[in-house]
Structure formats: structure tokens, C-alpha cells
Amino acid sequence: MIKVTVWNEYRHEKSDEGVKAVYPDGIHNCIKGFLESDEIKVRTATLDEPECGLTEEVIKDTDVLIWWGHMAHHEVPDEIAVRVQQAVLKGMGLIVLHSGHHSKPFRLLMGTTCDLTWRDGDRERVWCTNPTHPIAAGIPESFELENEEMYGEHFSIPKPDDVVFTGWFAGGEVFRSGCTFIRDHGKVFYFQPGHEEYPTYKNEYVQRIIKNAVEWAKPTVRRDELFCPNRTVSPEEARKGGK
Ligand code: ZN
């Protein structure tokens, strides 16, 4: 059983009629709806809950955290962003969706601005540029999203371990749309499609990619603490003195 927490800022769906029409129960519940199964247990968390719904207990009980945010990145307290970052370093998986490229936890983990170029809606073709990657299982050579926000290069991220998907837009731009990173013990997947005005999370391939990413990002090891052991003393002594 993989325990997933879907975190959503959950502001556009409340303030914008168009977005509400696409995701009446919020993006988080749409993702929960297609993700939940006998193998995957899903809870949701949103910005306006106490501690953004991401208490120490919730984080400890999360194997993979999915993050969707856009207009209120700055309202996420630094303390919560650091909590997420530290959990990833200890082994929790993180899937950052669409405008989450500018979220505090993602920027902390990348160490760069994560800036990109963007433009309002366009047709996107998502190319699978690494078909042997587990996140690409069951995904065709390419698939189209009739409407998606254009995200273009240059994407100011550190060099990814794998670029699993590359987006092409009808305006001619390209983008590294599906990128993987390892940060200490944690696996991170960034996936570009998912603008709130379009039903992207109802696309069967997008759903399959997110499911595959959950499977891929689940912890292989999970540490209780981060420390740097001195091997000239016993592990117990090192643990006492060496955080
Ligand atoms: Zn967007």
C-alpha cells in the first residue's frame, strides 16, 4: 500500500467560475479520484487548513506527496516548505505539478529559480523521450492536449537525471515537461501539464503518468533523521554526537 497525500492550494477553484466548472471538487479531489485503488491510499491537504494540512504526523505518514500550487506560493510558510524538503531528503517521494515549478518546496530542492517562459493556452503534444523509464509505462510515443498553458525553455532547473517527456507547443516552443531528480534519499518528479482552466487531469495518459510516478517515487529507504556518521566511532556514539 502506497500512502499518497495530494496537496492543492485550492484557491482558483473557489474564486473562478471557469475553473470551478472544470474541477468542481478541486484539483486535489480529481487527482484523488483517479489515483485511489487497492494499492494506493490517498488523502488530501489544502493551503487553508492548519499547517497547510501538512502536519509532522501527515508528512510522516506520507510516502509520496503530490503538489499543485499557483497563485499563493508565498502563503505557504517557510517552515512548512522546509518540512517538505527535509522529508524528501529523508526519502519521501515528491511529484510537483504544473505551476508548482515556483513552489517553495520545489525551489528549495532544486536550488535554482525554476523560472520558465509561458503563454496562454495552446495545443501541446507531449513526446515520450525516455520510453524505458518506469514513469513512461503504457504511454504512447506522443499524445496531444488540445488546450494547455504553454511552458517554454529556458527552464531554470538543475540538469535532471532523466527527461521522460518533452512538450511541443503549436507556437513552436519546446519544454522539458517530465523531469526526474534524486535529492538525498528522495525521488522528485516534475510534470508540466495541468493548467487549472483545462481538464488536463481527466486525460487518460496524464492520469497514467501520475500513477506511474507515484509508483516510481515511493520511498526505497526512509530515514528518521539526516546525519553524517563518523565511522571511527560506533554507530550509536556517532548518532548521539553527529546530527
Ligand atoms: Zn497554469
Side-chain angles (χ1 to χ4, degrees), residues 70 98-99 149 151 195-196:
H70 179 227
H98 187 59
S99 39
E149 189 170 37
Y151 275 11
H195 184 65
E196 68 278 0

Side-chain angles (χ1 to χ4, degrees), residues 136-147:
I139 303 302
E141 187 181 63
S142 75
F143 64 94
E144 283 205 3
L145 297 167
E146 196 48 47
N147 286 296

Side-chain angles (χ1 to χ4, degrees), residues 41-233:
K41 187 178 162 192
V42 184
R43 66 151 71 84
T44 63
T46 55
L47 178 62
D48 291 329
E49 292 171 42
E51 299 186 53
C52 305
L54 298 174
T55 61
E56 294 279 9
E57 292 68 32
V58 167
I59 290 288
K60 273 202 190 97
D61 197 42
T62 298
D63 295 318
V64 180
L65 176 64
I66 298 179
W67 192 281
W68 197 101
H70 179 227
M71 64 195 284
H73 293 314
H74 60 284
E75 289 183 47
V76 174
D78 290 345
E79 183 194 335
I80 302 295
V82 170
R83 187 179 290 169
V84 170
Q85 177 217 24
Q86 294 288 304
V88 171
L89 300 181
K90 291 172 188 170
M92 183 182 76
L94 178 67
I95 299 172
V96 175
L97 298 172
H98 187 59
S99 39
H101 71 93
H102 261 172
S103 64
K104 286 184 183 179
F106 188 59
R107 286 173 124 171
L108 273 177
L109 285 159
M110 296 299 110
T112 56
T113 60
C114 302
D115 287 345
L116 44 76
T117 62
W118 64 279
R119 180 161 55 71
D120 283 342
D122 201 348
R123 181 165 54 90
E124 175 176 13
R125 184 173 293 178
V126 180
W127 285 92
C128 178
T129 40
N130 193 339
T132 62
H133 198 284
I135 298 178
I139 303 302
E141 187 181 63
S142 75
F143 64 94
E144 283 205 3
L145 297 167
E146 196 48 47
N147 286 296
E148 188 45 74
E149 189 170 37
M150 191 287 288
Y151 275 11
E153 298 288 340
H154 177 63
F155 188 15
S156 295
I157 47 170
K159 189 176 169 186
D161 293 328
D162 283 299
V163 179
V164 188
F165 301 102
T166 301
W168 169 90
F169 294 85
E173 298 90 346
V174 292
F175 189 69
R176 288 169 288 170
S177 291
C179 300
T180 67
F181 308 87
I182 306 288
R183 289 293 181 269
D184 272 20
H185 297 80
K187 288 166 253 176
V188 180
F189 179 58
Y190 172 79
F191 190 50
Q192 160 263 317
H195 184 65
E196 68 278 0
E197 293 175 287
Y198 310 123
T200 300
Y201 295 119
K202 296 174 185 180
N203 177 284
E204 61 172 314
Y205 297 124
V206 168
Q207 294 184 355
R208 179 72 194 260
I209 288 166
I210 294 172
K211 274 186 217 173
N212 289 346
V214 164
E215 186 68 39
W216 171 81
K218 72 183 178 202
T220 309
V221 288
R222 191 84 188 248
R223 289 199 154 185
D224 294 331
E225 55 184 336
L226 295 168
F227 82 118
C228 202
N230 175 350
R231 290 299 185 204
T232 62
V233 298

